[in-house]
Amino acid sequence: STPASTAGDREIETLFQEALAASLRVNGDWSWCTSDISMRYGQFLRERGRFEEAERVLKEGYSRLESGPVNIEWAFPIVAELEALYKNWGKSEELVNWQHKRMNAAQRGLARNANLLRENLNDPGLLTSHASLLARIGQYDAAEAACRLAIRFQPNNIRAQRILADSLSGLSQHAEA
């Protein structure tokens, strides 16, 4: 704990620790909820300059996901937070390493989705997952197309609508976004 820690920060940290322990107990290692808590706890620590602690929490969260049969998209928020951590910490070699991990994970996810889409092109959830991965690596035009197809099959797909808006913004089509 740093001298700058406040009583409120200590309480928040305790709540993160309790939430993470409870999620691990109830949901297990490969849960989206467990992953999200790990990411937010690591973010909390990073924002307070507690880089070593944040690194431990985030890497443990990533390792839990990597060890199981989970959707690769769940790892992206943790990887993004690790990238932010290493950027703030001034560890450029680690930053580049995690940027490569993110791109490799996206490529693996895209290959998996492409194989599944060959068999079932009208699956809005799969199309949305594919669009999300495409958008995360900056392929906004392809993400837009996948979102539009997902929305055609499921007009109330809010996640696809959000990714579509983000993709259009990435393409500088702000009025339509």
Side-chain angles (χ1 to χ4, degrees):
S1 186
T2 64
S5 292
T6 64
D9 280 358
R10 286 190 295 277
E11 182 180 359
I12 291 168
E13 184 170 3
T14 299
L15 291 171
F16 271 124
Q17 292 167 346
E18 291 171 359
L20 183 56
S23 186
L24 283 166
R25 190 173 51 255
V26 172
N27 302 312
D29 285 342
W30 307 323
S31 159
W32 173 86
C33 185
T34 301
S35 171
D36 189 62
I37 294 167
S38 295
M39 184 275 300
R40 292 175 191 282
Y41 182 24
Q43 181 181 47
F44 170 84
L45 294 167
R46 176 187 57 82
E47 289 173 348
R48 281 146 185 83
R50 296 168 59 187
F51 299 140
E52 290 175 4
E53 294 168 88
E55 180 182 47
R56 179 188 54 77
V57 168
L58 293 166
K59 282 187 169 181
E60 286 173 2
Y62 181 81
S63 293
R64 281 192 295 271
L65 286 176
E66 194 175 44
S67 70
V70 298
N71 186 330
I72 196 67
E73 290 178 72
W74 294 356
F76 279 99
I78 288 180
V79 172
E81 191 53 41
L82 278 160
E83 289 176 20
L85 169 71
Y86 291 125
K87 183 177 180 181
N88 291 158
W89 203 355
K91 291 193 169 189
S92 58
E93 190 173 311
E94 288 292 327
L95 172 61
V96 169
N97 178 41
W98 283 95
Q99 288 171 334
H100 285 138
K101 282 187 182 194
R102 177 174 41 87
M103 292 302 286
N104 289 337
Q107 294 301 331
R108 285 193 318 271
L110 287 168
R112 180 208 60 180
N113 286 354
N115 286 332
L116 294 171
L117 283 167
R118 282 187 194 96
E119 299 170 14
N120 193 6
L121 187 58
N122 61 354
D123 180 335
L126 187 56
L127 286 163
T128 304
S129 169
H130 202 62
S132 175
L133 290 170
L134 289 164
R136 288 179 188 274
I137 62 171
Q139 293 186 14
Y140 299 118
D141 52 348
E144 175 191 4
C147 283
R148 289 191 188 283
L149 193 53
I151 292 167
R152 189 170 76 189
F153 292 121
Q154 187 180 37
N156 62 349
N157 186 332
I158 293 174
R159 183 168 178 240
Q161 292 172 5
R162 182 190 52 78
I163 297 166
L164 175 59
D166 290 345
S167 297
L168 290 169
S169 181
L171 292 168
S172 297
Q173 297 177 18
H174 304 293
E176 189 178 353

mmCIF file of all heavy atoms in Angstrom, residues 31 33 36 50 82 170 172-173 176:
data_model
loop_
_atom_site.group_PDB
_atom_site.id
_atom_site.type_symbol
_atom_site.label_atom_id
_atom_site.label_comp_id
_atom_site.label_asym_id
_atom_site.label_seq_id
_atom_site.Cartn_x
_atom_site.Cartn_y
_atom_site.Cartn_z
ATOM 1 N N SER A 31 -14.388 -17.972 -16.425
ATOM 2 C CA SER A 31 -15.606 -17.173 -16.477
ATOM 3 C C SER A 31 -15.312 -15.760 -16.989
ATOM 4 O O SER A 31 -14.302 -15.150 -16.631
ATOM 5 C CB SER A 31 -16.206 -17.092 -15.075
ATOM 6 O OG SER A 31 -17.054 -16.001 -14.944
ATOM 7 N N CYS A 33 -16.966 -13.257 -16.043
ATOM 8 C CA CYS A 33 -17.087 -12.425 -14.845
ATOM 9 C C CYS A 33 -15.757 -12.369 -14.092
ATOM 10 O O CYS A 33 -15.299 -11.300 -13.693
ATOM 11 C CB CYS A 33 -18.201 -12.980 -13.950
ATOM 12 S SG CYS A 33 -18.548 -11.980 -12.513
ATOM 13 N N ASP A 36 -13.357 -10.225 -16.042
ATOM 14 C CA ASP A 36 -13.690 -8.809 -15.949
ATOM 15 C C ASP A 36 -13.253 -8.223 -14.603
ATOM 16 O O ASP A 36 -12.706 -7.125 -14.550
ATOM 17 C CB ASP A 36 -15.190 -8.610 -16.163
ATOM 18 C CG ASP A 36 -15.549 -7.148 -16.290
ATOM 19 O OD1 ASP A 36 -15.058 -6.493 -17.237
ATOM 20 O OD2 ASP A 36 -16.318 -6.650 -15.436
ATOM 21 N N ARG A 50 0.592 1.359 -8.862
ATOM 22 C CA ARG A 50 1.018 0.108 -8.214
ATOM 23 C C ARG A 50 1.230 -0.953 -9.308
ATOM 24 O O ARG A 50 0.512 -1.932 -9.413
ATOM 25 C CB ARG A 50 -0.021 -0.301 -7.170
ATOM 26 C CG ARG A 50 -0.090 0.744 -6.049
ATOM 27 C CD ARG A 50 -1.273 0.579 -5.149
ATOM 28 N NE ARG A 50 -1.306 -0.724 -4.511
ATOM 29 C CZ ARG A 50 -2.337 -1.150 -3.780
ATOM 30 N NH1 ARG A 50 -3.379 -0.367 -3.587
ATOM 31 N NH2 ARG A 50 -2.327 -2.345 -3.242
ATOM 32 N N LEU A 82 -2.972 -4.712 -19.811
ATOM 33 C CA LEU A 82 -1.529 -4.969 -19.704
ATOM 34 C C LEU A 82 -0.746 -4.020 -20.610
ATOM 35 O O LEU A 82 0.311 -3.512 -20.218
ATOM 36 C CB LEU A 82 -1.218 -6.432 -20.043
ATOM 37 C CG LEU A 82 -1.440 -7.412 -18.898
ATOM 38 C CD1 LEU A 82 -1.602 -8.835 -19.412
ATOM 39 C CD2 LEU A 82 -0.297 -7.321 -17.900
ATOM 40 N N GLY A 170 -14.340 4.287 -36.827
ATOM 41 C CA GLY A 170 -12.965 3.976 -37.246
ATOM 42 C C GLY A 170 -12.737 4.254 -38.722
ATOM 43 O O GLY A 170 -11.610 4.518 -39.148
ATOM 44 N N SER A 172 -14.093 6.809 -40.153
ATOM 45 C CA SER A 172 -14.373 8.249 -40.225
ATOM 46 C C SER A 172 -15.746 8.549 -40.816
ATOM 47 O O SER A 172 -15.953 9.599 -41.423
ATOM 48 C CB SER A 172 -13.279 8.990 -40.998
ATOM 49 O OG SER A 172 -12.044 8.855 -40.320
ATOM 50 N N GLN A 173 -16.683 7.624 -40.639
ATOM 51 C CA GLN A 173 -18.065 7.832 -41.076
ATOM 52 C C GLN A 173 -18.892 8.195 -39.834
ATOM 53 O O GLN A 173 -19.816 7.487 -39.468
ATOM 54 C CB GLN A 173 -18.588 6.580 -41.780
ATOM 55 C CG GLN A 173 -17.838 6.249 -43.043
ATOM 56 C CD GLN A 173 -18.337 4.946 -43.672
ATOM 57 O OE1 GLN A 173 -19.420 4.455 -43.380
ATOM 58 N NE2 GLN A 173 -17.513 4.384 -44.545
ATOM 59 N N GLU A 176 -22.901 8.575 -39.843
ATOM 60 C CA GLU A 176 -23.671 7.336 -39.845
ATOM 61 C C GLU A 176 -23.515 6.565 -38.539
ATOM 62 O O GLU A 176 -24.426 5.868 -38.107
ATOM 63 C CB GLU A 176 -23.250 6.444 -41.016
ATOM 64 C CG GLU A 176 -24.180 5.248 -41.194
ATOM 65 C CD GLU A 176 -23.822 4.368 -42.382
ATOM 66 O OE1 GLU A 176 -22.937 4.730 -43.159
ATOM 67 O OE2 GLU A 176 -24.458 3.307 -42.507
#
